Amino acid sequence: MLKRKKFWLSFLLVFTIGFIAACGPKEEDSTSGSDSEQTEQLEGKIAIDGSSTVFPIMEATAEEYKIVQPKVQVSVGVSGTGGGFKAFIAGETDISNASRPIKDEEAESLKENGIEYTEFQIAYDGLSVVVNKDNDWVDYLTIEELKKMWVEDGTVKTWADIREGWPEEEIKFYSPGTDSGTFDYFDEVILDGEQIVQSATLSEDDNVLVTGVTGDVNAIGYFGYAYYIENKDRLKVVPIDGGNGPVEPTNETVESGEYSPLSRPLFIYVKNESVKREEVYDFVKFLLENAGELAEEVGYVSTPQENYDQALEQLENLK
Amino acid sequence: MKFIDHQKVLQHTGPRRKLNKISKYLFFLATLLSLFVLAILLARILFQGFPYLDWQFLNSLPSRKPEKAGIYTALIGTMWLMAVVIPVTFILGVGTAIYLEEYAKKNRFNTFLQVNISNLAGVPSVVYGLLGLTIFARALHLGTSVLAAGLTMSLLILPVVIVSSQEAIRSVPKELKEASYAMGATKWQTIRTVVLPAALPGILTGSILAFSRGIGETAPLVVIGVPLFLAVLPSSFLDSFTALPMQIYNWTSRPQEEFHALAAAGIIVLLGMLIIMNSVAVWIRNKFQNRY
C-alpha cells in the first residue's frame, strides 16, 4: 500500500517539477522598468513575423525599444518571407518582415481580406558573389557571365567556358536554398526564372556556403553581405559589372545603389489599421528613426537618409 | 588417458573461434566509432560554448550584441512547453498502449490502428507542424500559444511513446496477471496494481527518449509561427512563448562567429536539461525495477 502511494507521489513530483520550474522565476520580471520618464508609457502587444534575413534588424530594434517602452510586448518570428505573409494575410500579425517585395497573389489575398498595408524599405543587403581566396584569375564578372554560369544548360561548366584564358577546371557552385529570399532575389535578377545549375550545392545555412567556397579553388557562391564581411579574410569578393564598370560591394556602393543589380532591399509591411494603435505607431517610428544605424550594426547597409525621412512622413499620414 | 585432446579441439574450432574474435572486434569498433563521434561533438561544443556559459547568459534576453545575449525567455519557454508535452503525452500514450494491449480485441479495426500508429512514428516533424498550424493554431484559435505548440509536439512523439509502452506492457509475465485474476481482481485492478508497476521501467525508458526528441525539435515550432524574439515570459498556457532549439538554430545561422559560440552554450544548457530529465527517469526506474 505504502509503495503504491510512493509510486503515484513520485509521478506527481516529476510533473510538478516542470510546473514549478516554469512558474518560479516569473516574479522577478515585474520589478524592473518603473523609472519615471518624460515620455508617455505605452502598453500593448505587437506581433511581427517574416523573413529570417530581416530578423536581426528587428531583434535589435525590439531590444532597444524595450529600454524606451518596457511595457510594450514585441514578439518577432522567423517563418520566412512567405510564411510571414501568410500570417499577415490571416490577420495574425501587425508587421511582416520581407526580404523581397510582396507578390501579386499575396497582395490580392490581402485585398480580399480587407487588409490595407504600407511598405517601408528599412535597409539594403548587398548580395556578394565570392570565390576562393586562391582564385587569381577572376577579376570581375558581368551580369551576362553570371547568368551563363548559373543557368542550367546541360553542359558541365568550366571557367574557360565563361571567359577565354581562364583555366579549364570545373566550376563548383554554392547557392542558398530555393526557399530563401536570397535565392528568390538572385533568381529574379540573374537567372531570370530559369533553372539553376544542377550541380550546385544548395544550403539553407549560409555558413555552409562560406565553408564550401573556402575549401575549393574552383568554387563560386553568393550570399548576404554580412556573411562576406564576417569572413572577409577567407574569401575573395567578385566586383560585378552591371553595365557601368565593375563595382565591389561596400557600404557606400550598396547604399548609393551603385552596386547594382545585386543590392537587395529589405522591407517591412505594416498593417494600416494597426498603426492607429499608439504602440504600433510608436514602434514603427522608432524603427524608422534607428533602422539605418541598427542595420549597419548587424551587418546590413542603411538606405539613404531621405528614404527614412520620407517613410516617417508616410507614417504620419497613416496615423 | 585424456578424454579431451586439447590440440584437436583447438584445431577443429579454430576457424569458428577466429570468426568469433573478428566479430567481437568489429562490433567493438562500431561502438567505438559512434562514441568517438559523440566525444568529438561534445568536446567541440563544450570548448566553444563554455566561455559564454554564465549566470548572465541564463538570465538575459537575446540581443544583437553577443556578450549581452542570453536565453532567459527561451529556457523558461522550453520548460513551459515540456509542462504541456510531458503530462499530455504520458497520459494519452500510456492510455492508448493499455487499451491496445489489455482491452482491445484482435480484430481488423485494431490491427488497422496498430499499423497506423507505427507508421505515424515515421512522419517528418514538419508535417506535424503543418497539422498543428491548421488544427490547433488556426481552427481552434490557440495561435502561437504554449498549448498549441505543446499539443503539436505531443502528437509528434505520441507514436513512439505508444509503441514503446505497448512493448513494455507486453513483456510483463503472464503468470503475474493470471495470479492477480485468480485472486479475484478485475481487469482494471490488475492493470493498476500489477501490469503498470511492472511495466513502468520500460515505459519510462521509451518515454524519456521521446521527450528528449520533443525538447530538441525546431521544425514544428517554426511552422506554427512561434516567435523567436520575445521579451516577456508566458503567464498562462494560452500565452505566446519561445523555445531553446529555435534560439540555437537562429544563432548557428548568423554570420558572426560569436553567435556560433552562443549557440554552443545554448546546446550545453539543452543537454543539461536532458540529463536532468533522464536522471529523474532513471531514478524512478531504479526505484521500481526490482519489485518482481
Side-chain angles (χ1 to χ4, degrees), chain B residues 126-168:
Chain B
V126 188
V127 179
Y128 282 100
L130 286 170
L131 184 82
L133 177 72
T134 329
I135 296 179
F136 300 125
R138 296 261 159 86
L140 295 179
H141 294 288
L142 291 174
T144 57
S145 64
V146 182
L147 197 58
L151 291 176
T152 310
M153 209 60 105
S154 290
L155 282 187
L156 169 71
I157 59 176
L158 256 179
V160 182
V161 174
I162 295 173
V163 172
S164 63
S165 301
Q166 273 186 287
E167 214 56 64

Side-chain angles (χ1 to χ4, degrees), chain B residues 45 48-50 52 256-266:
Chain B
I45 284 166
Q48 204 182 14
F50 212 73
Y52 278 91
Q256 290 84 3
E257 199 66 51
E258 294 87 342
F259 281 115
H260 303 170
L262 279 178

Side-chain angles (χ1 to χ4, degrees), chain B residues 115-270:
Chain B
V115 169
N116 273 291
I117 288 170
S118 310
N119 277 343
L120 275 178
V123 174
S125 54
V126 188
V127 179
Y128 282 100
L130 286 170
L131 184 82
L133 177 72
T134 329
I135 296 179
F136 300 125
R138 296 261 159 86
L140 295 179
H141 294 288
L142 291 174
T144 57
S145 64
V146 182
L147 197 58
L151 291 176
T152 310
M153 209 60 105
S154 290
L155 282 187
L156 169 71
I157 59 176
L158 256 179
V160 182
V161 174
I162 295 173
V163 172
S164 63
S165 301
Q166 273 186 287
E167 214 56 64
I169 291 171
R170 206 176 301 151
S171 65
V172 175
K174 215 157 112 199
E175 292 78 12
L176 286 177
K177 280 195 264 179
E178 278 165 358
S180 172
Y181 290 138
M183 305 274 282
T186 62
K187 202 154 206 177
W188 171 234
Q189 279 176 318
T190 307
I191 290 170
R192 211 177 37 163
T193 54
V194 176
V195 178
L196 268 189
L200 193 68
I203 292 176
L204 278 177
T205 310
S207 305
I208 267 305
L209 284 177
F211 296 145
S212 310
R213 181 177 172 204
I215 211 174
E217 271 297 340
T218 324
L221 298 180
V222 173
V223 174
I224 293 178
V226 169
L228 179 56
F229 181 90
L230 197 65
V232 288
L233 296 173
S235 52
S236 81
F237 289 115
L238 294 173
D239 282 345
S240 210
F241 76 110
T242 180
L244 207 44
M246 288 190 63
Q247 187 65 61
I248 292 170
Y249 178 70
N250 179 265
W251 275 336
T252 55
S253 66
R254 291 288 189 93
Q256 290 84 3
E257 199 66 51
E258 294 87 342
F259 281 115
H260 303 170
L262 279 178
I267 292 170
I268 296 176
V269 175
L270 197 63

